[in-house]
């Protein structure tokens, strides 16, 4: 089997995907814009060959790289980056090279467009916030007559929480339009709820081989825009209601042979037309693994190897690793250089060191959402996870 992995060096933990494929007997061919000499040695060991391009943004260069591998090694069976940013380019390459093991260009619209997602959630029977494609201030005011303030505006085709805003009044609306709309935007009614993700490895029959829940703060948007600290955790158990909603969403979107990260609101108060407190409401689908170090957190929480589960899906369309009989939480607490904290690094390590699995700086490209330094540790349950977040992120200004 010939597998082309796009940008295997970023995130740096993605060497694990290549490593597990290689261990399963796959011919792993990397295409990236970093120099070969700078690749992690573990990644080098996993790759059969690496093709450097000047820029992954240049489709012609990437196309030529795929053509080179196809000429040298024969038919390409899989092509994947597992990255949101390259999702559309991956699909274009699959279509151009007749690679049928992943989404092609004809599929990508429902995966990338936040407005297009709505009808597939409806097919799944999963409620979603009311949505309006932003055009003019007058049209926005008509939508606001239905929902009232606040509302959320965000790029229809965007990654993460960048360029996402909460509008609370007519002044905010005026300021938003004054910035100029350079890409299509959508406006959604504001939902009060926690964000919970359904993370899963899906086989070719749209059935889950692995399932997990990660609980996120209510507003990643505020964390990015206001430079707040990010804290979240992978839970030891997946609520049955989320399991059902996640599986129904996978079926409706016809997801096959992918690692997925599906985001839901868990309502903290009843909302007419959406549900009661505790119900799950669809937010958006992401057809790739959760960002940052979350796949590793799933491993720690469930005593498993999601990279191997994914590789086994690729090579055998099944799961080989057993389910864990002792799941627990894994917690992430990030810090920013611009803040001053009550407890020093040494104090954090003294208190949580025995449970710590990672403590290291965050790559600059992730720092907007994740902070500049992170602590990741085992936690017995959700209560302990929240206590660690509070301890690590307690700022000096909090002291009386």
């Amino acid at each position: 089997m010939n597998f082309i992995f796009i940008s295997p060096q970023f995130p740096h933990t993605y060497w694990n995907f290549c490593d597990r494929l290689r261990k399963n007997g796959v011919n792993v061919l990397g295409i990236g814009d970093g120099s070969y000499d700078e690749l992690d040695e573990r990644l080098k060991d996993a790759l059969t060959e690496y093709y450097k391009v000047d820029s992954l943004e240049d489709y012609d260069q990437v196309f030529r790289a795929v053509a080179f591998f196809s000429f040298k090694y024969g038919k390409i069976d899989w092509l994947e980056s597992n990255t949101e940013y390259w999702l559309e380019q991956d699909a274009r390459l699959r279509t151009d090279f007749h690679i049928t093991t992943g989404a092609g260009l004809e599929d990508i619209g429902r995966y990338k467009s936040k407005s297009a997602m709505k009808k597939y959630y409806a097919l799944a029977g999963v409620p979603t916030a009311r949505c309006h494609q932003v055009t003019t201030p007058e049209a926005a005011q008509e939508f606001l007559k239905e929902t009232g303030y606040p509302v959320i505006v965000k790029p229809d085709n965007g990654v993460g929480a960048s360029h996402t805003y909460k509008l609370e009044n007519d002044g905010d609306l005026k300021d938003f339009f004054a910035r100029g709309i350079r890409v299509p935007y959508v406006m959604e009614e504001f939902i009060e709820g926690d964000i919970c993700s359904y993370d899963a490895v899906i086989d070719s029959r749209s059935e889950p081989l692995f399932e997990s829940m990660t609980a996120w703060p209510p507003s990643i948007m505020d964390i990015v825009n206001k430079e707040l600290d990010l804290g979240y955790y992978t839970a030891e158990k997946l609520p049955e209601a989320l399991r059902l909603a996640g599986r129904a969403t996978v079926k409706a979107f016809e997801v096959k042979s992918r690692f997925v990260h599906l985001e839901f609101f868990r309502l903290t108060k009843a909302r007419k037309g959406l549900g009661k407190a505790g119900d799950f409401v669809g937010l958006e689908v992401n057809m790739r693994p959760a960002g940052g170090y979350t796949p590793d957190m799933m491993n720690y929480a469930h005593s498993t190897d999601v990279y191997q589960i994914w590789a086994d899906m690729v090579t055998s369309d099944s799961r080989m690793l057993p389910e864990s009989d002792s799941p627990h939480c894994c917690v992430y607490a990030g810090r920013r250089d611009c803040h001053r904290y009550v407890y020093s690094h040494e104090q954090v390590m003294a208190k949580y060191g025995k449970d710590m699995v990672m403590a290291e700086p965050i790559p600059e490209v992730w720092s907007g959402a994740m902070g500049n330094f992170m602590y990741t540790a085992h936690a017995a349950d959700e209560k302990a996870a929240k206590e660690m977040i509070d301890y690590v992120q307690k700022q000096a200004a909090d002291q009386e």
Side-chain angles (χ1 to χ4, degrees), residues 97-295:
F97 285 91
H98 309 290
I99 301 167
T100 60
T101 47
L105 272 179
E106 71 279 3
D107 305 308
I108 209 67
R110 66 177 182 265
Y111 295 164
K112 293 287 288 181
S113 167
K114 293 176 175 62
S115 56
M117 293 175 188
K118 298 291 183 178
K119 74 173 184 178
Y120 295 98
Y121 277 118
L123 287 173
V126 175
T128 59
R130 285 172 288 183
C131 178
H132 161 77
Q133 288 185 300
V134 173
T135 52
T136 65
E138 293 74 23
Q141 288 288 2
E142 287 299 312
F143 179 71
L144 284 160
K145 288 178 182 178
E146 300 177 24
T147 63
Y149 288 107
V151 290
I152 301 296
V153 289
K154 55 189 175 182
D156 191 25
N157 184 345
V159 179
S162 59
H163 305 292
T164 297
Y165 309 99
K166 182 180 180 182
L167 309 183
E168 307 211 38
N169 51 52
D170 286 345
D172 289 346
L173 182 68
K174 182 179 179 181
D175 290 344
F176 169 71
F177 276 98
R179 294 187 186 101
I181 302 173
R182 295 176 179 83
V183 297
Y185 263 78
V186 293
M187 178 179 290
E188 284 188 341
E189 64 179 315
F190 179 74
I191 304 297
E192 292 187 56
D194 300 319
I195 298 177
C196 299
S197 63
Y198 172 84
D199 299 286
V201 178
I202 305 298
D203 69 12
S204 66
R205 298 170 295 278
S206 300
E207 297 293 338
L209 301 176
F210 167 82
E211 298 172 293
S212 179
M213 181 187 92
T214 297
W216 306 83
S219 178
I220 299 294
M221 172 189 65
D222 284 345
I223 287 170
V224 173
N225 293 340
K226 299 179 182 179
E227 293 191 316
L228 305 179
D229 288 328
L230 173 64
Y232 69 98
Y233 59 90
T234 297
E236 73 271 29
K237 294 179 182 178
L238 176 67
E240 188 61 21
L242 181 58
R243 186 191 310 276
L244 294 174
R247 291 183 178 185
T249 302
V250 164
K251 293 282 189 181
F253 278 85
E254 300 179 357
V255 181
K256 294 179 173 62
S257 306
R258 294 199 69 79
F259 208 137
V260 299
H261 171 65
L262 313 183
E263 297 178 5
F264 295 82
F265 287 112
R266 181 165 52 188
L267 297 177
T268 51
K269 62 185 294 186
R271 180 85 177 193
K272 186 177 180 180
L274 294 180
K276 62 184 184 300
D279 286 350
F280 290 95
V281 173
L283 174 54
E284 64 183 61
V285 300
N286 299 280
M287 297 302 168
R288 42 80 179 171
Y293 300 98
T294 313

